[in-house]
Structure formats: structure tokens, C-alpha cells
Amino acid sequence: MKKSKTPFLQFLKKHPVKLGVVLIVGLIWVFCLPRNLFNAPTSTVLKSREGMMLGARIAKDGQWRFPEQDSVPYRFEQCILNFEDEYFYLHPGFNPISITKALWGNLTSKERRGGSTITQQVIRLSRKNQKRTYFEKLIEIFQATRLELREPKKEILNLYATYAPFGGNVVGLETASWRYFGIPSQDLSWGQAAALAVLPNAPSLIFPGKNELFLKQKRNRLLKKLLEHSVIDPTTYELAVAEKLPSKPLALPEMAPHLTEKLRRDHPGAQLTSTIKFPLQRQLNAIAKENYDRLRQNEIHNLSILVLDIETREVRAYVGNSPTTAAHDHYVDLIQASRSTGSILKPFLYAAMLDEGTILPNTLVADVPTSVNGYSPQNFDKEFNGAVPASVALARSLNVPAVRMLRKYGLHKFYHQLEKLQQKNMDKSADYYGLPIILGGAESSLWDITKAYAGMASTLNFFNTSSSEYRKNEFVNPIYELGKQPEFGAQKFSPEVFGAGAVYHTLKTIEEVNRPNGEENWSFFSDSQPISWKTGTSYGFKDAWAVGVTSRYAVGVWAGNASGEGRPGLTGLQAAAPILFEVFDKLPKAASFQTPYDELMEAEVCKRSGHLASVFCPKTQQEWIPKNGTRTPVCPYHQPVFLDQSEQFQVNSSCYPLAEIQSENWFVLPPIMEYYYAVKHPEYQSLPPYKNGCLKDGEELMQFIFPKKKEVILLPKNFKEETNSIIFKLAHRNPETTVYWYLDATYLTSTTTFHEVSTLPRPGKHVLTVVDQEGNSLSQKIEIEINSK
């Protein structure tokens, strides 16, 4: 027996057209909403890690429209529901009773009223506020029911709070909260929340600063309703109605304008919670303002400050420029700008040479007149020391030893190390920069330099806490987005750049750098902390650097003029270092770096030369040196000297009885080093002269100070376009001897004690010869050119 068809199937069979209409309407309903209701551009918003606003940039369409928030604050939610849609959590997207009341009122009176739910208003906003007609109202209801099915109520309310108009070009609750009250929306009081809740209802009529009576009446009626519904108590009501209304839109915070602008460039329209600490940023802004006021007295108008967390590599504070004027390029982000490095790279060379085993921490290095292919570096004080420990050369930032050390280490090797340190602005070849790269011949940014110093400190920290291991990307880029993690890479047992032993000695060396005025006696105070720091000053006094690290923080400071104008006194020590120590005073104190004994070994070192001790070194000491330090040669400066019984002359067995010869270990520097060293070290004793007839074969008695070998000498001109004379200089182990000077076999003059000769040779190639009174001679080829400019 066949079953009868159901009434529904019978209806479908009899009315196929109606079925088609139902299906079409159903399909339209299902697909009536776009995937994203709103595609309007949003403002770029930067917040601190505490949620405080650091800065914002207006959306592309000229509206202040912050990105969607996570949720709607409770106070505003209660206010908007009681003002706009009491049954929001009960209806399916539209409220039939409200619609009926609105329709009847519109038909029976001239006053127009709406009956839209919050969901309908979201649809209207997404449709860009189409002209209000009954047909448009039907579309809103149709789409509102679909939106209710697709999204939870909380999300619909959030969409309304994000895209509702609040007067002028202010869109969204969070935007309005900052523009009218200067606080985040979660901090709104009941009075403030109520004032904002009534604004979207008539944003063009009720605008803060205008029609205040209407705004106040509406707000107070809403507060009264909240009281009647027991949402607030009487005391809260009294306090709320007494609150002042906003008078006009406030300027948005500009706590980190250059980082905000960086966010706008990198992620336009995004809202980002940064790693910036709001209190620290505020303190550093004040420091920048105070020091800008100090520096601009010397027409120095720009500075920047960067603070990094060593462990997390998070940016803790970011001051991209001083609060200067547009005329002095206040908009330029000088943390990211490429500037001449001055001496700020010297610690990296020192660490590289220690790590390779080219030098030991206190190895004596030459500080004498130097010329390499026409390049003649000068120390800041224009003096020479003859010989200085490498650590002292770094601490005093001596230029000549740095250039000589770079030449010894190798320009290309050092440039490769800088590439590992990710100095991205050094985009030319090593040969393009040449040896001046160590004195500021290349450019980098405060971002990259501070990052590199932080990487050195982190190398030491991580090595001490993880079983003698390193990380591949220790010099990774810092991060400024909260929640992101730097990519340190895999752990391994060999360093990618510098070993912990070399880093330790480097940081300890620059910890001893003399601090600026007011900080000299830091070590005598119990609350002080050790800081490893270095300054840099570019050629022409255009850039002043100061970068320092503790075991917790890295701080970088740059000062100068964005235009590149140099100023007297614009040095790292005078302009940037005081700011550096002010910043460290605002940071938590950090413990000293631990000694990485696994990467060091104990060795016997000559106290006077800093080399590994030889058998001839009279005074030695045990030091912890980097492991590769064992590759360095033993002390070359201590040697046995054989003297006569009076100890006034050197002798040998060919001219003096062997039984009467006295042996003594003597500290001997090459003549040119001795020439400058002896002046600054009164305790230095030159070698006694040889007794007549006892001259040792191959003994180096003389060295030319100027000119150097293969040096082309350019004759300068004075203001009258007259060619000036040049001065030849000679170092002799026995200053009291007489030296005779010859140029191309032509006798010039003789000198005693100070062996310097002023002459004006003709252009071309010559041979300069000197002969001392004992008949010892020294010759050197020279080439003279006239400066045609």
C-alpha cells in the first residue's frame, strides 16, 4: 500500500514557482553579506606594553578611525544598550515593537524617529549610510538577520563601537575616547561613557564644543535611566552628572612619533602594542628635551636615544629625534639614519683581534707617525705615544694604533666581521672604505650600532648561562612588537662572530673609559653600576656617538645636526656621553658580567709589554687570556744586553774580555717608537751605546719618522701661494750623536739631539741620506710633488 505524500510535498508540487522564489530568496539571504562588512582604511596606532597610546596616524581617507578593539568596555556597553537598544541580546536583528512604534509616530506626527537596532545600525554603517527610505529599511532588516546568524552579539556590538560616527572626522569609540578625553576607552567614567554613547545618535547636531546644552540633556537623561535600571547607584549618578563635557577634540599623544611613523610605513593601518615602557619613554623624552635645550646653545639641534633589553632584544625606549623645529628636520628618524661612525667601531676590531689571537688584552701597539698609501691618521690630541697597551689605545680611542691594528688584522677580514654584525648601511666594498673605516670612513645607524653592542653583551650573558654554548644569530635585529620573539637561531659550541673570552676583555676594557664630568668617581658610590661604553666623533665634528651596555640593557645615543653641519664641541664625550649616563640612571641597576672561564686560559704575561712572557722578561704576572691568545708571539721587546763592567757601554766578545761582560735583560723599543715613548715615560732607559769597535751587526740605530717609505710628499702652499718647506725627522738611539744630512749626495746640514731638518726640495724623485758621527748610514727614496690646487 502506497503512503500518501505529505502536505508540504503536495504544496511544492502544486506551487513550483513559489518554491523557486523561496529558494532564490534563501540564497540571497545566505550570501547577502560580504565577507568583510567594512573595508574602510584605519588609522595607524602604536601603544606601549602597558596599553597607553604612544602615537597615531590618521587613516588614508582623512578619518580618525582606530582599528577594531578586542571588546567593548562594560560602562560604554551599558550606556549604549540603554540608549539605543535595550533588547539587543534578545532580538534576531530587528525589534518589531520598536519598528511599529517608529512607523506609527512617523505617520501621525511631523517628528521623525528611528526604530533601528544596533545590528541594523551596523548594516547601515557598512552600507555607507544610504538615503533613509522604507525600502532601505527592509534591506537593513534583511541583512541584519543574516548578520545575527553569522556573528555573535559581542562582535556585532564591537563593530558598532568601531565604526559609529562620533562627530567631525572621529570614528569609533576608542578614537573618540582619546580625542575627547585623552584616555583609553576602558578608563572612561560613567559620565564620559554616557556622553559618548549619545553622540552617534546625532553626531552632526551634537558636537563637542557646540550645542553643549543638548549634549548635556541627552547625557543626563541616559544617566537617569541607568540609575532607574539600577545599573549605577545614586552616588555614581551624582558624580557622573557633575562631570564636565568635552569642549573640543584633543591632540593625540606623540610619545614616540618616529616609531609611530616607522609603524605607519611598515604596517599602515595597523594597531600594534609595542615593547616600549611608557614611564621610561616619558622620562627619556624629558631627557631629550633638557639636552636639546643645552645643545642648541651651540647650534646642535638633533639627537636620538635607543634603549634595548639585552636578553629579549626588545626596544624599551625610542626617541628618534629631539623636540626641535621643522627647520631643523624634526621629522627625520635619526635612529635609522645613516651617519659616519667615528670611533664607535673600534671595540669590534679589538674583540676580533683578541678572538683570533693576534693580540693579548694589553699587548703594546705602536703609536707613531704612520702613512699608508698617502693616508696619514692623526690622534685627536695630535700627539704620539710611541707605544701603548692595546687596551689603553681602545680606552683612550687613539686613532693611529687603531689604523695600524686594522692593517695588521686585515681590512677584508674586519669588513667580513662587520657584515656578520649586520651593519647594513655599509653597502660598499672593503676597498672602497679602506683603513679609514675604523675612524668613521663608513656609515651606520644608531639602530645597527646599538644592536651590535647588545649582541656582544648577550654573547657573554648567554655563554655564562647555557653550558658554554653560543647562538647563531646573536646579533639579530631588535623587535618592537610585544609578543614577538627574536630569531636567535640554533645553539652551537662555536661563536658566529666573537668568542666569549674576547667579548669579556673588550667589555671590561671599555668599562674603564673615563666618564664625562660629574661621573668620574662613579666607582666610589655603592649604588653605581659598571657600564661598558664607547664614544665616537666623526670627522669635522658632525656626529657624536655614545653607546653603552650593562648585563641587562644597551643604550645608544647620537647627537648632531641632521643637515650634517659640524660644530665645535660636537664630540661623543661632550655631547652624547652625558645623555648616555642620564639614561642609565633611569634604568634598573645590573650586575657585572660574569667571567667566562671556559673560554679563557691562564698564562704568564710580561707586565711591561703585555705579550706572552719570554725568558728575558724580568717581571711577569698570571692573566686570564682568550684561548687563542697562546698563538701570539712572546715578548719581542725584552732582550739580553751585554755591558762592560761600568754598565755604560754595550760590548761583545770581539772587543771585550768575555769574563768581564755583564748580562742584563733590557726593555728595548724600535728607534721610532722609542723616540715618542721616552718623552712620556721618564723611567724608560735607552740602550747604552756600543763601545768603540763593538758595534753589533744589523743593529737598528736610526729610523726616519718623516718621510715614511714609499711616501709621496705633497708640498703645501701658504695663503700667498708660496710653497712651504717640509721638515725631515729622524729617530736615533743616541740623541747626543751628530747626524749629517744629504739630499742626492748634496750636503744639507748636521743635527744633534733633535734630528729635524727644514728644506724645500724641487719636485721629482730624490734620495735622502743620513750619516751619524760613527759612520752609520741610512738612506730612503722619496718623491716630491707640488700641490697644484
Side-chain angles (χ1 to χ4, degrees), residues 691-710:
K691 200 173 184 65
N692 289 338
C694 294
L695 184 62
K696 180 180 178 182
D697 292 338
E699 176 69 13
E700 189 178 30
L701 293 176
M702 298 178 284
Q703 272 187 290
F704 282 112
I705 299 174
F706 180 83
K708 307 299 293 181
K709 288 183 179 179
K710 300 180 181 179

PDB file of all heavy atoms in Angstrom, residues 691-710:
ATOM      1  N   LYS A 691     130.524  50.212  22.775  1.00  0.00           N
ATOM      2  CA  LYS A 691     131.910  50.664  22.949  1.00  0.00           C
ATOM      3  C   LYS A 691     132.573  50.673  21.576  1.00  0.00           C
ATOM      4  O   LYS A 691     132.217  49.896  20.700  1.00  0.00           O
ATOM      5  CB  LYS A 691     132.638  49.701  23.902  1.00  0.00           C
ATOM      6  CG  LYS A 691     133.868  50.270  24.540  1.00  0.00           C
ATOM      7  CD  LYS A 691     134.398  49.296  25.583  1.00  0.00           C
ATOM      8  CE  LYS A 691     135.576  49.888  26.318  1.00  0.00           C
ATOM      9  NZ  LYS A 691     135.240  51.066  27.126  1.00  0.00           N
ATOM     10  N   ASN A 692     133.433  51.611  21.357  1.00  0.00           N
ATOM     11  CA  ASN A 692     134.103  51.704  20.057  1.00  0.00           C
ATOM     12  C   ASN A 692     134.648  50.351  19.626  1.00  0.00           C
ATOM     13  O   ASN A 692     135.294  49.638  20.395  1.00  0.00           O
ATOM     14  CB  ASN A 692     135.263  52.714  20.122  1.00  0.00           C
ATOM     15  CG  ASN A 692     134.741  54.132  20.216  1.00  0.00           C
ATOM     16  OD1 ASN A 692     133.612  54.400  19.844  1.00  0.00           O
ATOM     17  ND2 ASN A 692     135.583  55.036  20.718  1.00  0.00           N
ATOM     18  N   GLY A 693     134.324  50.025  18.383  1.00  0.00           N
ATOM     19  CA  GLY A 693     134.795  48.760  17.831  1.00  0.00           C
ATOM     20  C   GLY A 693     133.910  47.588  18.166  1.00  0.00           C
ATOM     21  O   GLY A 693     134.230  46.462  17.795  1.00  0.00           O
ATOM     22  N   CYS A 694     132.800  47.846  18.874  1.00  0.00           N
ATOM     23  CA  CYS A 694     131.930  46.731  19.297  1.00  0.00           C
ATOM     24  C   CYS A 694     130.537  46.768  18.664  1.00  0.00           C
ATOM     25  O   CYS A 694     129.611  46.150  19.194  1.00  0.00           O
ATOM     26  CB  CYS A 694     131.781  46.740  20.816  1.00  0.00           C
ATOM     27  SG  CYS A 694     133.314  46.383  21.713  1.00  0.00           S
ATOM     28  N   LEU A 695     130.372  47.521  17.594  1.00  0.00           N
ATOM     29  CA  LEU A 695     129.040  47.632  17.003  1.00  0.00           C
ATOM     30  C   LEU A 695     128.544  46.278  16.544  1.00  0.00           C
ATOM     31  O   LEU A 695     129.249  45.558  15.836  1.00  0.00           O
ATOM     32  CB  LEU A 695     129.072  48.605  15.819  1.00  0.00           C
ATOM     33  CG  LEU A 695     127.728  48.883  15.174  1.00  0.00           C
ATOM     34  CD1 LEU A 695     126.770  49.530  16.169  1.00  0.00           C
ATOM     35  CD2 LEU A 695     127.906  49.766  13.944  1.00  0.00           C
ATOM     36  N   LYS A 696     127.338  45.995  16.956  1.00  0.00           N
ATOM     37  CA  LYS A 696     126.740  44.712  16.621  1.00  0.00           C
ATOM     38  C   LYS A 696     126.217  44.739  15.198  1.00  0.00           C
ATOM     39  O   LYS A 696     125.571  45.699  14.775  1.00  0.00           O
ATOM     40  CB  LYS A 696     125.605  44.402  17.596  1.00  0.00           C
ATOM     41  CG  LYS A 696     124.900  43.078  17.351  1.00  0.00           C
ATOM     42  CD  LYS A 696     123.791  42.877  18.362  1.00  0.00           C
ATOM     43  CE  LYS A 696     123.040  41.584  18.107  1.00  0.00           C
ATOM     44  NZ  LYS A 696     121.928  41.418  19.080  1.00  0.00           N
ATOM     45  N   ASP A 697     126.466  43.690  14.450  1.00  0.00           N
ATOM     46  CA  ASP A 697     125.984  43.622  13.085  1.00  0.00           C
ATOM     47  C   ASP A 697     124.456  43.643  13.070  1.00  0.00           C
ATOM     48  O   ASP A 697     123.796  42.929  13.827  1.00  0.00           O
ATOM     49  CB  ASP A 697     126.463  42.333  12.404  1.00  0.00           C
ATOM     50  CG  ASP A 697     127.978  42.347  12.185  1.00  0.00           C
ATOM     51  OD1 ASP A 697     128.531  43.464  12.175  1.00  0.00           O
ATOM     52  OD2 ASP A 697     128.560  41.258  12.051  1.00  0.00           O
ATOM     53  N   GLY A 698     123.892  44.481  12.175  1.00  0.00           N
ATOM     54  CA  GLY A 698     122.444  44.511  12.000  1.00  0.00           C
ATOM     55  C   GLY A 698     121.700  45.321  13.031  1.00  0.00           C
ATOM     56  O   GLY A 698     120.478  45.376  13.023  1.00  0.00           O
ATOM     57  N   GLU A 699     122.396  45.989  13.942  1.00  0.00           N
ATOM     58  CA  GLU A 699     121.710  46.772  14.968  1.00  0.00           C
ATOM     59  C   GLU A 699     121.027  47.977  14.316  1.00  0.00           C
ATOM     60  O   GLU A 699     121.647  48.734  13.554  1.00  0.00           O
ATOM     61  CB  GLU A 699     122.721  47.259  16.011  1.00  0.00           C
ATOM     62  CG  GLU A 699     122.138  48.159  17.071  1.00  0.00           C
ATOM     63  CD  GLU A 699     121.193  47.424  18.002  1.00  0.00           C
ATOM     64  OE1 GLU A 699     121.188  46.176  17.970  1.00  0.00           O
ATOM     65  OE2 GLU A 699     120.485  48.094  18.757  1.00  0.00           O
ATOM     66  N   GLU A 700     119.743  48.148  14.610  1.00  0.00           N
ATOM     67  CA  GLU A 700     118.979  49.258  14.045  1.00  0.00           C
ATOM     68  C   GLU A 700     119.126  50.471  14.965  1.00  0.00           C
ATOM     69  O   GLU A 700     118.546  50.533  16.041  1.00  0.00           O
ATOM     70  CB  GLU A 700     117.501  48.872  13.906  1.00  0.00           C
ATOM     71  CG  GLU A 700     116.691  49.878  13.124  1.00  0.00           C
ATOM     72  CD  GLU A 700     115.256  49.428  12.961  1.00  0.00           C
ATOM     73  OE1 GLU A 700     114.733  48.723  13.843  1.00  0.00           O
ATOM     74  OE2 GLU A 700     114.640  49.798  11.944  1.00  0.00           O
ATOM     75  N   LEU A 701     119.938  51.439  14.509  1.00  0.00           N
ATOM     76  CA  LEU A 701     120.201  52.620  15.319  1.00  0.00           C
ATOM     77  C   LEU A 701     119.306  53.793  14.954  1.00  0.00           C
ATOM     78  O   LEU A 701     119.060  54.662  15.781  1.00  0.00           O
ATOM     79  CB  LEU A 701     121.665  53.050  15.152  1.00  0.00           C
ATOM     80  CG  LEU A 701     122.716  52.093  15.719  1.00  0.00           C
ATOM     81  CD1 LEU A 701     124.105  52.611  15.389  1.00  0.00           C
ATOM     82  CD2 LEU A 701     122.558  51.966  17.219  1.00  0.00           C
ATOM     83  N   MET A 702     118.866  53.844  13.701  1.00  0.00           N
ATOM     84  CA  MET A 702     118.126  55.013  13.216  1.00  0.00           C
ATOM     85  C   MET A 702     116.879  54.577  12.466  1.00  0.00           C
ATOM     86  O   MET A 702     116.850  53.492  11.858  1.00  0.00           O
ATOM     87  CB  MET A 702     119.013  55.855  12.279  1.00  0.00           C
ATOM     88  CG  MET A 702     120.258  56.430  12.933  1.00  0.00           C
ATOM     89  SD  MET A 702     121.275  57.371  11.741  1.00  0.00           S
ATOM     90  CE  MET A 702     122.036  56.016  10.820  1.00  0.00           C
ATOM     91  N   GLN A 703     115.850  55.465  12.497  1.00  0.00           N
ATOM     92  CA  GLN A 703     114.642  55.294  11.691  1.00  0.00           C
ATOM     93  C   GLN A 703     114.133  56.667  11.296  1.00  0.00           C
ATOM     94  O   GLN A 703     114.136  57.596  12.110  1.00  0.00           O
ATOM     95  CB  GLN A 703     113.536  54.576  12.477  1.00  0.00           C
ATOM     96  CG  GLN A 703     113.585  53.047  12.385  1.00  0.00           C
ATOM     97  CD  GLN A 703     112.369  52.434  13.054  1.00  0.00           C
ATOM     98  OE1 GLN A 703     112.261  52.483  14.272  1.00  0.00           O
ATOM     99  NE2 GLN A 703     111.482  51.859  12.275  1.00  0.00           N
ATOM    100  N   PHE A 704     113.700  56.774  10.042  1.00  0.00           N
ATOM    101  CA  PHE A 704     113.073  58.020   9.616  1.00  0.00           C
ATOM    102  C   PHE A 704     111.657  58.093  10.215  1.00  0.00           C
ATOM    103  O   PHE A 704     110.865  57.163  10.089  1.00  0.00           O
ATOM    104  CB  PHE A 704     112.992  58.106   8.093  1.00  0.00           C
ATOM    105  CG  PHE A 704     114.291  58.478   7.432  1.00  0.00           C
ATOM    106  CD1 PHE A 704     114.987  57.569   6.647  1.00  0.00           C
ATOM    107  CD2 PHE A 704     114.819  59.762   7.607  1.00  0.00           C
ATOM    108  CE1 PHE A 704     116.180  57.911   6.042  1.00  0.00           C
ATOM    109  CE2 PHE A 704     116.013  60.115   7.007  1.00  0.00           C
ATOM    110  CZ  PHE A 704     116.705  59.186   6.227  1.00  0.00           C
ATOM    111  N   ILE A 705     111.366  59.229  10.853  1.00  0.00           N
ATOM    112  CA  ILE A 705     109.998  59.488  11.302  1.00  0.00           C
ATOM    113  C   ILE A 705     109.189  60.065  10.140  1.00  0.00           C
ATOM    114  O   ILE A 705     108.053  59.686   9.897  1.00  0.00           O
ATOM    115  CB  ILE A 705     110.000  60.469  12.494  1.00  0.00           C
ATOM    116  CG1 ILE A 705     110.784  59.866  13.661  1.00  0.00           C
ATOM    117  CG2 ILE A 705     108.576  60.823  12.916  1.00  0.00           C
ATOM    118  CD1 ILE A 705     110.967  60.833  14.821  1.00  0.00           C
ATOM    119  N   PHE A 706     109.840  60.993   9.440  1.00  0.00           N
ATOM    120  CA  PHE A 706     109.252  61.549   8.218  1.00  0.00           C
ATOM    121  C   PHE A 706     110.385  61.873   7.269  1.00  0.00           C
ATOM    122  O   PHE A 706     111.367  62.506   7.665  1.00  0.00           O
ATOM    123  CB  PHE A 706     108.443  62.814   8.534  1.00  0.00           C
ATOM    124  CG  PHE A 706     107.808  63.432   7.316  1.00  0.00           C
ATOM    125  CD1 PHE A 706     106.598  62.939   6.840  1.00  0.00           C
ATOM    126  CD2 PHE A 706     108.413  64.482   6.641  1.00  0.00           C
ATOM    127  CE1 PHE A 706     106.015  63.498   5.707  1.00  0.00           C
ATOM    128  CE2 PHE A 706     107.836  65.039   5.507  1.00  0.00           C
ATOM    129  CZ  PHE A 706     106.631  64.549   5.050  1.00  0.00           C
ATOM    130  N   PRO A 707     110.277  61.405   6.033  1.00  0.00           N
ATOM    131  CA  PRO A 707     109.153  60.710   5.396  1.00  0.00           C
ATOM    132  C   PRO A 707     109.177  59.208   5.654  1.00  0.00           C
ATOM    133  O   PRO A 707     110.211  58.649   6.035  1.00  0.00           O
ATOM    134  CB  PRO A 707     109.383  61.008   3.919  1.00  0.00           C
ATOM    135  CG  PRO A 707     110.883  61.074   3.805  1.00  0.00           C
ATOM    136  CD  PRO A 707     111.373  61.701   5.082  1.00  0.00           C
ATOM    137  N   LYS A 708     107.999  58.562   5.415  1.00  0.00           N
ATOM    138  CA  LYS A 708     107.925  57.117   5.508  1.00  0.00           C
ATOM    139  C   LYS A 708     108.291  56.504   4.159  1.00  0.00           C
ATOM    140  O   LYS A 708     108.334  57.188   3.128  1.00  0.00           O
ATOM    141  CB  LYS A 708     106.513  56.687   5.901  1.00  0.00           C
ATOM    142  CG  LYS A 708     105.974  57.367   7.156  1.00  0.00           C
ATOM    143  CD  LYS A 708     106.810  57.088   8.380  1.00  0.00           C
ATOM    144  CE  LYS A 708     106.750  55.633   8.795  1.00  0.00           C
ATOM    145  NZ  LYS A 708     107.551  55.371  10.023  1.00  0.00           N
ATOM    146  N   LYS A 709     108.550  55.213   4.176  1.00  0.00           N
ATOM    147  CA  LYS A 709     108.916  54.517   2.945  1.00  0.00           C
ATOM    148  C   LYS A 709     107.790  54.600   1.912  1.00  0.00           C
ATOM    149  O   LYS A 709     106.619  54.487   2.246  1.00  0.00           O
ATOM    150  CB  LYS A 709     109.228  53.054   3.229  1.00  0.00           C
ATOM    151  CG  LYS A 709     110.547  52.848   3.973  1.00  0.00           C
ATOM    152  CD  LYS A 709     110.829  51.362   4.159  1.00  0.00           C
ATOM    153  CE  LYS A 709     112.162  51.156   4.883  1.00  0.00           C
ATOM    154  NZ  LYS A 709     112.454  49.715   5.100  1.00  0.00           N
ATOM    155  N   LYS A 710     108.167  54.837   0.676  1.00  0.00           N
ATOM    156  CA  LYS A 710     107.252  54.882  -0.475  1.00  0.00           C
ATOM    157  C   LYS A 710     106.187  55.974  -0.338  1.00  0.00           C
ATOM    158  O   LYS A 710     105.121  55.894  -0.931  1.00  0.00           O
ATOM    159  CB  LYS A 710     106.573  53.524  -0.687  1.00  0.00           C
ATOM    160  CG  LYS A 710     107.533  52.387  -0.945  1.00  0.00           C
ATOM    161  CD  LYS A 710     106.782  51.078  -1.153  1.00  0.00           C
ATOM    162  CE  LYS A 710     107.752  49.925  -1.394  1.00  0.00           C
ATOM    163  NZ  LYS A 710     107.040  48.635  -1.574  1.00  0.00           N
TER     164      LYS A 710
END
